[in-house]
Amino acid sequence: QVHLVESGGGLVQPGGSLRLSCTAVGFTLEYYAIHWFRQAPGKEREGVSCISGPSGSIYYTDSVKGRFTTSRDNVENTIYLQMNSLIPDDTAVYYCATDLYRSNCVGVLKDVSGSWGQGTQVTVSS
């Protein structure tokens, strides 16, 4: 069965770092655009980044540019989100997702229809 599995969330102090992982099961990540989203309590879902399939082009929402880095390991069939200089506003449940159709990103989207992971909680607090 096709699905995504996230891991790596946790509690971190402001200014700290976390690395999230998103592993694909049942399909090959490098052929598709893969998105990171986040949703904080009481707020709308927000697109964080998108990494294209074969080209590997990456897009970020403005609020994370210079702090977050998306990468891909084709051998591990995994996407990573390295988050540095974390701030309390980064607190949210983070999801990876793909529509299993597009190979290239069209930017940072607010939603996709397709396969989603279960989410991983990131809490930034002192």
Side-chain angles (χ1 to χ4, degrees):
Q1 187 174 0
V2 172
H3 62 280
L4 294 162
V5 179
E6 297 108 337
S7 62
L11 172 64
V12 63
Q13 292 186 342
S17 298
L18 281 175
R19 189 179 77 159
L20 306 185
S21 300
C22 169
T23 299
V25 179
F27 70 101
T28 303
L29 275 176
E30 66 178 291
Y31 298 147
Y32 301 99
I34 308 296
H35 302 261
W36 283 104
F37 295 94
R38 65 185 180 185
Q39 188 161 21
K43 294 186 178 181
E44 291 187 353
R45 181 181 296 152
E46 175 186 26
V48 175
S49 76
C50 181
I51 179 168
S52 292
S55 75
S57 299
I58 303 172
Y59 300 83
Y60 298 98
T61 193
D62 287 346
S63 62
V64 307
K65 285 180 181 176
R67 301 189 298 121
F68 290 12
T69 302
T70 296
S71 61
R72 184 176 65 214
D73 185 327
N74 293 338
V75 173
E76 297 295 327
N77 206 27
T78 297
I79 298 286
Y80 299 99
L81 183 67
Q82 177 67 44
M83 306 185 294
N84 298 329
S85 302
L86 284 161
I87 61 176
D89 280 353
D90 294 321
T91 295
V93 178
Y94 284 71
Y95 303 87
C96 57
T98 178
D99 62 12
L100 287 172
Y101 176 73
R102 293 182 188 273
S103 58
N104 293 314
C105 300
V106 292
V108 176
L109 304 179
K110 290 187 176 182
D111 198 1
V112 292
S113 177
S115 180
W116 285 72
Q118 82 284 3
T120 186
Q121 176 71 46
V122 172
T123 302
V124 184
S125 175
S126 55

